């Protein structure tokens, strides 16, 4: 079984330094993949209300507890407050809805999916649109949303709270003005957009950077630089990308539905990249994003207008 190091968060709780992304893992196949991941040694699972698969994640965790493979306290289950629930009075409702979906007593880490709020119509309308096709956003201040998330910790519904898709100024504002500090900021981070500046900025504030799309959704597999390094270490291009991110001090959460790749991805704690190979991987950085939230570009709190 693969063993993964843990990071101590700013509230004293632990986070396994590697996790499974679950976007797209649905139905029986999704549950089987997540259960296999737990068997292999994954202890950090990333889901969201948006992914419509909290049921699957919860079922896999509950089954593995029942089988005696894990206990609840071994796992870090992450879910996310979706953008239509940013009004403070909707936050506890949204969290309880996620808990109901998961059928768990608490969420380990509940993060704000993005700093931008969307207009609420009903629970099913997750991407409300304006007549011109852009996102129907609102100006709810993410700090007000955050204060309502702090109450979820007080209520014992969640153990830790964090951020996602926040830029440096937004992270700083929450850190400086909150009662409970965010433990993490989950952002796009791969060799293509390596987030060195945001990682250093977050680190200074004791906020862990969690890397989504760590494989840049396979865009780097065919790159000669990555293939050459992979051949040198007898590893795959995906493993080189993930190991590089570990060397940068971030927590990758790659998604795979395939048992062999689920195992391959976590098998990166038995080697280190040389300084020279890290430098070669640095050269892949273009700061291009896959997830741009461009339909919300007009929003007051759209995060991607800054360098980092
Ligand atoms: N907070 C946010 O706004 C946000 C946004 C996006 C994603 N996320 C989270 O981050 C997770 C990861 O991001 P992602 O799923 O978008 O992208 P990703 O992990 O970079 O890439 C996933 C893709 O790579 C393939 N893959 C996985 N392992 C591989 C390997 N060893 N070799 C070759 N291909 C491999 C997968 O296919 P197979 O399944 O067929 O292996 C899938 O097509 C998501 O699942 C989600 O939990 C969060």
């Amino acid at each position: 079984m693969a063993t993964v190091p843990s990071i101590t968060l700013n509230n004293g709780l632990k986070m396994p330094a590697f996790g499974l992304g679950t976007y797209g893992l649905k139905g029986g196949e999704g549950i089987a993949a997540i259960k296999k991941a737990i068997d292999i040694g994954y202890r950090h699972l990333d889901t969201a209300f948006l992914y419509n698969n909290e049921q699957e994640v919860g079922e896999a965790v509950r089954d593995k507890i029942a089988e005696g493979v894990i206990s609840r306290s071994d796992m870090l289950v992450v879910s996310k407050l979706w953008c239509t629930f940013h009004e403070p009075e909707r936050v506890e409702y949204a969290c309880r809805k996620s808990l109901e979906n998961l059928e768990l007593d608490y969420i380990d880490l509940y993060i704000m999916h993005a700093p931008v709020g969307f207009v609420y119509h009903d629970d099913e309308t997750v991407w409300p649109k304006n007549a011109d096709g852009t996102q129907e956003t609102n100006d709810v201040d993410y700090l007000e949303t955050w204060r309502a998330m702090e109450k979820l910790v007080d209520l014992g519904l969640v153990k830790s709270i964090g951020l996602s898709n926040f830029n440096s100024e937004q992270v700083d504002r929450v850190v400086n003005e909150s009662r409970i500090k965010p433990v993490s900021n989950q952002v796009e981070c791969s060799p293509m957009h390596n987030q060195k500046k945001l990682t250093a900025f977050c680190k200074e504030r004791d906020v862990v950077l969690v890397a989504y799309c760590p494989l840049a959704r396979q865009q780097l597999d065919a790159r000669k630089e990555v293939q050459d390094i992979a051949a040198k270490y007898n590893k795959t291009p995906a493993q080189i990308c993930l190991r590089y991110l570990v060397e940068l001090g971030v927590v990758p959460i790659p998604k795979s539905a395939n048992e062999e790749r689920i195992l391959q991805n976590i098998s990166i704690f038995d080697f280190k990249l040389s300084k020279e190979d890290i430098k070669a991987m640095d050269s892949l950085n273009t700061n291009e994003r896959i997830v741009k939230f461009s339909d919300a570009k007009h929003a007051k709190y759209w995060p991607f207008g800054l360098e980092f």
Side-chain angles (χ1 to χ4, degrees), residues 172 175 197-208 308:
D172 207 32
V175 167
K197 289 187 179 167
L198 187 59
T199 303
F201 187 90
C202 286
K203 198 168 178 208
E204 278 168 26
R205 288 153 184 81
D206 212 359
V207 172
V208 173
F308 68 98

Side-chain angles (χ1 to χ4, degrees), residues 60-258:
V61 170
R62 284 182 282 106
D63 281 0
K64 285 292 153 190
I65 293 171
E67 286 174 29
V69 175
I70 46 164
S71 58
R72 178 66 186 88
S73 60
D74 294 331
M75 298 303 297
L76 183 92
V77 177
V78 182
S79 196
K80 310 187 187 86
L81 177 81
W82 183 239
C83 305
T84 47
F85 299 107
H86 273 212
E87 280 124 332
E89 63 275 17
R90 294 192 201 283
V91 170
E92 185 180 333
Y93 167 82
C95 179
R96 288 192 185 274
K97 187 112 195 154
S98 285
L99 281 166
E100 219 173 89
N101 292 337
L102 287 158
E103 292 186 53
L104 296 175
D105 295 337
Y106 62 89
I107 294 168
D108 295 272
L109 171 56
Y110 195 53
I111 65 184
M112 202 185 313
H113 209 137
V116 180
F118 295 172
V119 173
Y120 178 87
H121 292 274
D122 52 52
D123 289 357
E124 285 69 43
T125 309
V126 288
W127 297 107
K129 297 274 175 138
N130 293 313
D132 64 0
T134 59
Q135 217 62 69
E136 195 183 4
T137 59
N138 61 29
D139 288 346
V140 176
D141 186 341
Y142 54 81
L143 211 50
E144 294 305 314
T145 311
W146 184 258
R147 295 202 169 109
M149 289 176 69
E150 291 178 327
K151 294 194 185 128
L152 304 175
V153 180
D154 301 336
L155 289 169
L157 300 178
V158 310
K159 300 270 185 212
S160 304
I161 47 179
L163 308 170
S164 178
N165 294 302
F166 274 56
N167 67 35
S168 55
E169 285 179 5
Q170 294 169 330
V171 170
D172 207 32
R173 188 163 169 251
V174 178
V175 167
N176 290 332
E177 298 191 36
S178 59
R179 175 168 65 85
I180 301 178
K181 305 271 168 267
V183 297
S184 60
N185 185 24
Q186 183 185 123
V187 296
E188 180 170 342
C189 177
S190 75
M192 194 172 96
H193 190 89
N194 68 29
Q195 297 280 20
K196 281 193 182 184
K197 289 187 179 167
L198 187 59
T199 303
F201 187 90
C202 286
K203 198 168 178 208
E204 278 168 26
R205 288 153 184 81
D206 212 359
V207 172
V208 173
L209 193 133
V210 175
Y212 77 67
C213 295
L215 300 170
R217 296 192 180 153
Q218 296 181 314
Q219 291 184 41
L220 299 167
D221 290 8
R223 289 290 295 260
K224 190 173 180 320
E225 300 91 322
V226 187
Q227 290 191 345
D228 286 350
I229 298 172
K232 214 193 283 186
Y233 293 85
N234 201 17
K235 294 281 179 185
T236 66
Q239 287 174 311
I240 298 302
C241 290
L242 296 170
R243 181 68 217 182
Y244 169 70
L245 296 178
V246 168
E247 310 266 3
L248 296 188
V250 306
V251 175
I253 50 164
K255 171 261 170 186
S256 179
N258 172 280

